[in-house]
Amino acid sequence: LLSCRLYCEEAKDPKRRSCQTVLAEALDIVVRSFAPILPHLAEEVFQYIPYKKDSEGVFRTGWINASSAWKKPGIEEAIEGACAMRDSFLGSISGKNSLEYEVIIVIEPGLLFELMEALQAEETSSASQLNEIMMASQTTLLSEFPKETPSDANITKGTFLINLEG
């Protein structure tokens, strides 16, 4: 998923840029974390980061400052729920190419549904974050079971517990 975003998308594409942002934040946190233990290595890595504008060293720029944008309530639970659904889906097709499938996720209205909507705003998408996590050709998110389902549909049911208390 990361390599596709980094190498297949255009340079200004928001998917590619968001992936680069995550990798840059991860590198910054890792370098600052091991700086007290490996100061020379941390300083050298920090000096060669190409997107850093300031020339100050790792020890002069302060400790780790996580942006509040990374702390959206429920986003971790949404990703965990989507990954659990993906694992269930991939387990049901056992070794087949997941991109050959269109996935329909039915979740009762409530907190889990709202969390999934944060990953896919439209009902059906082939380019949403939820669809990328599911690794399918297309993902549909519904709040009730569809009236008509194909005869060859593989229906998998599951229960996912979301804990927002931390």
Side-chain angles (χ1 to χ4, degrees), residues 26-88:
L27 177 63
D28 187 67
I29 289 171
V30 168
V31 170
R32 290 176 192 279
S33 296
F34 70 68
I37 303 163
L38 301 166
H40 298 291
L41 179 61
E43 191 64 40
E44 186 172 358
V45 170
F46 203 79
Q47 293 300 320
Y48 287 97
I49 295 176
Y51 50 84
K52 287 285 184 194
K53 301 291 185 216
D54 54 10
S55 60
E56 292 184 18
V58 68
F59 294 102
R60 292 194 174 116
T61 56
W63 191 238
I64 301 166
N65 295 320
S67 168
S68 62
W70 297 97
K71 299 176 184 175
K72 286 185 179 176
I75 197 69
E76 182 179 349
E77 291 77 11
I79 298 294
E80 287 176 0
C83 288
M85 286 183 248
R86 179 202 55 214
D87 294 344
S88 177

Coordinates of all heavy atoms in Angstrom, one line a residue, residues 26-88:
A26 N 7.1 9.9 11.2 CA 7.7 8.7 11.9 C 9.2 8.8 12.0 O 9.7 8.4 13.0 CB 7.3 7.4 11.0
L27 N 9.9 9.2 10.9 CA 11.3 9.4 11.0 C 11.7 10.4 12.1 O 12.6 10.1 12.9 CB 11.9 9.8 9.6 CG 13.4 10.1 9.6 CD1 14.2 8.8 9.9 CD2 13.8 10.7 8.3
D28 N 11.0 11.5 12.2 CA 11.3 12.5 13.2 C 11.2 12.0 14.6 O 12.0 12.2 15.4 CB 10.4 13.7 13.0 CG 10.8 14.9 13.9 OD1 11.8 15.5 13.6 OD2 10.0 15.2 14.8
I29 N 10.1 11.2 14.8 CA 9.9 10.6 16.1 C 11.0 9.6 16.5 O 11.5 9.6 17.6 CB 8.5 10.0 16.3 CG1 7.5 11.2 16.3 CG2 8.3 9.1 17.5 CD1 6.0 10.8 16.2
V30 N 11.3 8.7 15.5 CA 12.3 7.7 15.8 C 13.7 8.4 16.1 O 14.4 8.0 17.0 CB 12.4 6.7 14.6 CG1 13.7 5.9 14.6 CG2 11.2 5.9 14.5
V31 N 14.1 9.3 15.3 CA 15.4 10.0 15.5 C 15.4 10.7 16.8 O 16.4 10.6 17.6 CB 15.6 11.0 14.3 CG1 16.9 11.9 14.7 CG2 15.9 10.3 13.0
R32 N 14.3 11.4 17.2 CA 14.3 12.1 18.5 C 14.3 11.1 19.7 O 14.8 11.3 20.7 CB 13.1 13.0 18.6 CG 13.2 14.2 17.7 CD 12.0 15.1 17.7 NE 12.0 16.1 16.7 CZ 12.6 17.2 16.8 NH1 13.3 17.5 17.9 NH2 12.5 18.1 15.8
S33 N 13.7 9.9 19.4 CA 13.6 8.9 20.5 C 14.9 8.2 20.8 O 15.3 8.0 21.9 CB 12.6 7.8 20.1 OG 11.3 8.3 20.0
F34 N 15.7 8.0 19.7 CA 17.0 7.3 20.0 C 18.2 8.3 20.2 O 19.3 8.0 20.5 CB 17.4 6.2 19.0 CG 17.7 6.6 17.6 CD1 18.8 7.3 17.3 CD2 16.9 6.2 16.6 CE1 19.2 7.7 16.1 CE2 17.2 6.6 15.3 CZ 18.4 7.3 15.0
A35 N 17.9 9.6 20.1 CA 18.9 10.7 20.3 C 19.6 10.6 21.6 O 20.9 10.7 21.7 CB 18.3 12.0 20.1
P36 N 18.9 10.4 22.8 CA 19.7 10.3 24.0 C 20.6 9.1 24.1 O 21.6 9.1 24.8 CB 18.5 10.2 25.1 CG 17.3 10.7 24.4 CD 17.5 10.4 23.0
I37 N 20.3 8.0 23.4 CA 21.1 6.8 23.4 C 22.2 6.8 22.4 O 23.3 6.4 22.7 CB 20.2 5.6 23.2 CG1 19.1 5.6 24.3 CG2 21.0 4.3 23.3 CD1 17.9 4.7 24.0
L38 N 21.9 7.3 21.2 CA 22.8 7.3 20.1 C 22.9 8.8 19.6 O 22.5 9.1 18.5 CB 22.4 6.4 19.0 CG 22.2 4.9 19.3 CD1 21.5 4.2 18.3 CD2 23.6 4.3 19.5
P39 N 23.5 9.7 20.3 CA 23.5 11.1 19.9 C 24.2 11.4 18.6 O 23.7 12.2 17.8 CB 24.2 11.8 21.1 CG 25.0 10.7 21.8 CD 24.3 9.4 21.5
H40 N 25.3 10.8 18.3 CA 26.0 11.1 17.1 C 25.2 10.6 15.9 O 25.1 11.3 14.9 CB 27.4 10.5 17.1 CG 28.3 11.0 18.2 ND1 28.7 12.3 18.2 CD2 28.7 10.4 19.3 CE1 29.4 12.5 19.3 NE2 29.4 11.4 20.0
L41 N 24.7 9.4 16.0 CA 23.8 8.9 14.8 C 22.6 9.7 14.6 O 22.3 10.1 13.5 CB 23.4 7.4 15.1 CG 22.6 6.8 14.0 CD1 23.3 6.7 12.7 CD2 22.2 5.4 14.5
A42 N 21.9 10.1 15.7 CA 20.7 10.9 15.6 C 21.1 12.3 15.0 O 20.3 12.8 14.1 CB 20.1 11.1 17.0
E43 N 22.1 12.9 15.4 CA 22.5 14.2 14.8 C 22.8 14.1 13.4 O 22.4 14.9 12.6 CB 23.8 14.7 15.6 CG 24.1 16.1 15.3 CD 23.0 17.1 15.7 OE1 22.4 16.9 16.8 OE2 22.7 18.0 14.9
E44 N 23.5 13.0 13.0 CA 23.9 12.8 11.5 C 22.6 12.6 10.7 O 22.4 13.2 9.7 CB 24.8 11.6 11.4 CG 25.3 11.5 9.9 CD 26.4 10.5 9.8 OE1 26.8 9.8 10.8 OE2 26.8 10.3 8.6
V45 N 21.7 11.8 11.2 CA 20.4 11.5 10.5 C 19.7 12.9 10.3 O 19.2 13.2 9.3 CB 19.6 10.5 11.2 CG1 18.2 10.4 10.6 CG2 20.2 9.1 11.1
F46 N 19.6 13.6 11.4 CA 18.9 14.9 11.5 C 19.4 15.9 10.5 O 18.7 16.6 9.8 CB 18.8 15.4 12.9 CG 17.7 16.4 13.1 CD1 16.4 15.9 13.4 CD2 17.9 17.7 13.2 CE1 15.4 16.7 13.6 CE2 16.9 18.6 13.4 CZ 15.6 18.1 13.6
Q47 N 20.8 15.9 10.4 CA 21.4 16.9 9.5 C 21.1 16.6 8.0 O 21.2 17.5 7.2 CB 22.9 16.9 9.7 CG 23.3 17.5 11.1 CD 22.8 18.9 11.3 OE1 22.9 19.7 10.4 NE2 22.4 19.2 12.5
Y48 N 20.9 15.3 7.7 CA 20.7 14.9 6.3 C 19.2 14.7 5.8 O 19.0 14.3 4.7 CB 21.5 13.7 5.9 CG 23.0 14.0 5.9 CD1 23.8 13.7 7.0 CD2 23.5 14.5 4.7 CE1 25.2 14.0 6.9 CE2 24.9 14.8 4.7 CZ 25.7 14.5 5.8 OH 27.0 14.8 5.7
I49 N 18.3 15.1 6.7 CA 16.9 15.0 6.3 C 16.7 16.1 5.3 O 16.8 17.3 5.6 CB 16.0 15.2 7.5 CG1 16.2 14.0 8.5 CG2 14.5 15.3 7.1 CD1 15.4 14.1 9.8
P50 N 16.3 15.8 4.0 CA 16.2 16.7 3.0 C 15.1 17.8 3.1 O 15.2 18.9 2.6 CB 16.0 15.9 1.7 CG 15.4 14.6 2.2 CD 15.9 14.4 3.6
Y51 N 14.1 17.5 3.8 CA 12.9 18.5 3.9 C 13.0 19.4 5.1 O 12.2 20.2 5.3 CB 11.6 17.7 3.9 CG 11.6 16.6 5.0 CD1 11.3 16.9 6.3 CD2 11.9 15.3 4.6 CE1 11.3 15.9 7.2 CE2 11.8 14.3 5.5 CZ 11.6 14.6 6.8 OH 11.6 13.6 7.8
K52 N 14.0 19.2 6.0 CA 14.2 20.1 7.1 C 14.8 21.5 6.6 O 15.8 21.5 5.9 CB 15.2 19.5 8.1 CG 14.6 18.4 8.9 CD 13.6 18.9 9.9 CE 13.1 17.8 10.8 NZ 12.0 18.1 11.6
K53 N 14.1 22.6 7.0 CA 14.6 23.9 6.6 C 15.6 24.5 7.6 O 16.4 25.2 7.2 CB 13.3 24.8 6.5 CG 12.3 24.3 5.5 CD 12.8 24.4 4.1 CE 11.7 24.0 3.1 NZ 12.1 23.3 2.0
D54 N 15.4 24.2 8.9 CA 16.3 24.8 9.8 C 17.6 24.0 9.9 O 17.7 22.8 9.6 CB 15.7 24.9 11.2 CG 15.1 23.6 11.7 OD1 15.4 22.5 11.1 OD2 14.4 23.6 12.7
S55 N 18.7 24.6 10.3 CA 20.0 23.9 10.4 C 20.3 23.5 11.8 O 21.4 23.1 12.1 CB 21.1 24.8 9.8 OG 21.1 26.0 10.6
E56 N 19.4 23.8 12.8 CA 19.6 23.4 14.2 C 19.7 21.9 14.3 O 19.1 21.2 13.5 CB 18.5 24.0 15.0 CG 18.5 25.5 15.2 CD 17.5 26.0 16.1 OE1 17.0 25.2 17.0 OE2 17.1 27.1 16.0
G57 N 20.4 21.4 15.3 CA 20.6 20.0 15.5 C 19.4 19.4 16.2 O 18.5 20.1 16.7
V58 N 19.4 18.1 16.3 CA 18.3 17.4 16.9 C 18.1 17.8 18.4 O 17.0 17.8 18.9 CB 18.4 15.9 16.8 CG1 19.6 15.3 17.6 CG2 17.2 15.1 17.2
F59 N 19.2 18.2 19.1 CA 19.1 18.5 20.5 C 18.6 19.9 20.7 O 18.2 20.3 21.8 CB 20.4 18.2 21.2 CG 20.8 16.8 21.2 CD1 21.7 16.3 20.3 CD2 20.2 15.9 22.1 CE1 22.0 14.9 20.3 CE2 20.5 14.6 22.1 CZ 21.4 14.1 21.2
R60 N 18.7 20.8 19.7 CA 18.3 22.2 19.9 C 16.8 22.4 19.5 O 16.3 23.5 19.7 CB 19.2 23.1 19.1 CG 20.6 23.1 19.6 CD 21.4 24.3 19.0 NE 22.6 24.4 19.7 CZ 23.8 24.2 19.1 NH1 23.8 23.9 17.8 NH2 24.9 24.3 19.8
T61 N 16.2 21.4 18.9 CA 14.8 21.6 18.4 C 13.8 21.1 19.3 O 12.6 21.2 19.1 CB 14.7 21.0 17.0 OG1 15.0 19.6 17.1 CG2 15.5 21.7 15.9
G62 N 14.2 20.5 20.4 CA 13.2 20.1 21.4 C 12.9 18.6 21.3 O 13.3 17.9 20.4
W63 N 12.0 18.2 22.2 CA 11.6 16.8 22.3 C 10.4 16.6 21.3 O 10.1 17.5 20.5 CB 11.2 16.5 23.7 CG 10.9 15.0 24.0 CD1 9.8 14.5 24.4 CD2 11.9 14.0 23.8 NE1 9.9 13.1 24.5 CE2 11.2 12.7 24.1 CE3 13.2 13.9 23.3 CZ2 11.8 11.5 24.1 CZ3 13.8 12.6 23.3 CH2 13.1 11.5 23.7
I64 N 9.8 15.4 21.3 CA 8.8 15.0 20.3 C 7.5 15.9 20.5 O 7.0 15.9 21.7 CB 8.5 13.5 20.5 CG1 9.7 12.7 20.2 CG2 7.3 13.1 19.6 CD1 9.6 11.2 20.7
N65 N 7.1 16.5 19.5 CA 5.8 17.3 19.6 C 4.8 16.7 18.6 O 4.9 17.0 17.4 CB 6.1 18.7 19.2 CG 6.9 19.4 20.3 OD1 6.8 19.2 21.4 ND2 7.9 20.3 19.8
A66 N 3.9 15.9 19.0 CA 2.9 15.3 18.2 C 1.8 16.3 17.9 O 1.3 16.9 18.8 CB 2.4 14.0 18.8
S67 N 1.5 16.4 16.7 CA 0.4 17.3 16.3 C -0.9 16.8 16.8 O -1.2 15.6 16.8 CB 0.4 17.4 14.7 OG -0.8 18.1 14.3
S68 N -1.8 17.7 17.1 CA -3.2 17.3 17.5 C -4.0 16.7 16.4 O -4.9 15.9 16.6 CB -3.9 18.5 18.1 OG -4.1 19.5 17.1
A69 N -3.6 16.9 15.1 CA -4.3 16.3 14.0 C -4.1 14.8 14.0 O -5.0 14.1 13.4 CB -3.7 16.9 12.7
W70 N -3.1 14.3 14.6 CA -2.8 12.8 14.7 C -3.7 12.2 15.8 O -3.7 11.0 15.9 CB -1.4 12.5 15.0 CG -0.5 13.0 13.9 CD1 0.2 14.2 13.8 CD2 -0.2 12.4 12.6 NE1 0.9 14.3 12.6 CE2 0.7 13.2 11.9 CE3 -0.6 11.2 12.1 CZ2 1.1 12.9 10.6 CZ3 -0.1 10.8 10.8 CH2 0.7 11.7 10.1
K71 N -4.4 13.0 16.6 CA -5.1 12.4 17.7 C -6.6 12.6 17.6 O -7.3 12.9 18.5 CB -4.6 13.2 19.0 CG -3.2 13.0 19.3 CD -2.7 13.8 20.5 CE -1.2 13.7 20.7 NZ -0.7 14.5 21.7
K72 N -7.1 12.3 16.4 CA -8.6 12.4 16.2 C -9.2 11.3 17.0 O -8.8 10.2 17.0 CB -8.9 12.2 14.7 CG -8.6 13.4 13.8 CD -9.1 13.1 12.4 CE -8.8 14.2 11.5 NZ -9.1 13.9 10.1
P73 N -10.3 11.7 17.7 CA -11.0 10.7 18.5 C -11.6 9.6 17.7 O -12.2 9.9 16.7 CB -12.1 11.4 19.3 CG -11.8 12.9 19.0 CD -10.9 13.0 17.9
G74 N -11.3 8.4 18.0 CA -11.9 7.2 17.3 C -11.2 6.8 16.0 O -11.5 5.7 15.5
I75 N -10.1 7.5 15.6 CA -9.5 7.1 14.3 C -8.7 5.8 14.5 O -8.7 4.9 13.6 CB -8.6 8.2 13.7 CG1 -8.3 7.9 12.3 CG2 -7.3 8.4 14.5 CD1 -9.4 8.1 11.4
E76 N -8.1 5.6 15.6 CA -7.4 4.3 15.9 C -8.3 3.1 15.9 O -8.1 2.1 15.3 CB -6.6 4.4 17.2 CG -5.8 3.2 17.5 CD -5.1 3.3 18.8 OE1 -5.0 4.4 19.4 OE2 -4.5 2.3 19.3
E77 N -9.5 3.3 16.5 CA -10.5 2.3 16.6 C -11.1 2.0 15.2 O -11.4 0.8 14.9 CB -11.6 2.7 17.6 CG -11.2 2.7 19.0 CD -10.4 3.9 19.4 OE1 -10.3 4.9 18.6 OE2 -9.8 3.9 20.5
A78 N -11.3 3.0 14.4 CA -11.8 2.8 13.0 C -10.8 2.0 12.2 O -11.2 1.0 11.5 CB -12.0 4.2 12.4
I79 N -9.5 2.3 12.3 CA -8.5 1.5 11.6 C -8.5 0.1 12.1 O -8.4 -0.9 11.3 CB -7.1 2.2 11.7 CG1 -7.1 3.6 11.1 CG2 -6.1 1.3 11.1 CD1 -7.4 3.6 9.6
E80 N -8.5 -0.1 13.4 CA -8.5 -1.5 14.0 C -9.7 -2.3 13.5 O -9.6 -3.4 13.1 CB -8.5 -1.4 15.5 CG -7.1 -1.0 16.1 CD -7.1 -0.9 17.6 OE1 -8.2 -1.1 18.2 OE2 -6.1 -0.5 18.1
G81 N -10.9 -1.6 13.5 CA -12.1 -2.3 13.0 C -12.0 -2.6 11.6 O -12.4 -3.7 11.2
A82 N -11.5 -1.7 10.8 CA -11.4 -2.0 9.3 C -10.4 -3.1 9.1 O -10.6 -4.0 8.2 CB -11.0 -0.7 8.6
C83 N -9.3 -3.1 9.8 CA -8.3 -4.2 9.7 C -8.9 -5.6 10.1 O -8.6 -6.6 9.4 CB -7.0 -3.9 10.5 SG -6.1 -2.5 9.7
A84 N -9.7 -5.6 11.1 CA -10.3 -6.8 11.5 C -11.3 -7.3 10.4 O -11.4 -8.5 10.1 CB -11.1 -6.6 12.8
M85 N -12.0 -6.4 9.8 CA -12.9 -6.8 8.7 C -12.1 -7.2 7.5 O -12.5 -8.2 6.8 CB -13.8 -5.6 8.3 CG -14.9 -5.3 9.4 SD -16.0 -4.0 8.8 CE -15.5 -2.8 10.0
R86 N -11.0 -6.6 7.2 CA -10.2 -7.0 6.1 C -9.7 -8.4 6.4 O -9.7 -9.2 5.5 CB -9.0 -6.0 6.0 CG -8.1 -6.5 4.8 CD -6.7 -5.9 4.9 NE -6.1 -6.3 6.1 CZ -5.2 -5.5 6.8 NH1 -4.9 -4.3 6.3 NH2 -4.7 -5.9 7.9
D87 N -9.2 -8.7 7.6 CA -8.7 -10.0 7.9 C -9.8 -11.1 7.7 O -9.5 -12.2 7.2 CB -8.1 -10.1 9.3 CG -6.9 -9.2 9.5 OD1 -6.3 -8.8 8.4 OD2 -6.5 -8.9 10.6
S88 N -11.0 -10.8 8.1 CA -12.1 -11.7 7.9 C -12.4 -11.9 6.4 O -12.6 -13.0 6.0 CB -13.3 -11.1 8.6 OG -14.5 -11.9 8.4

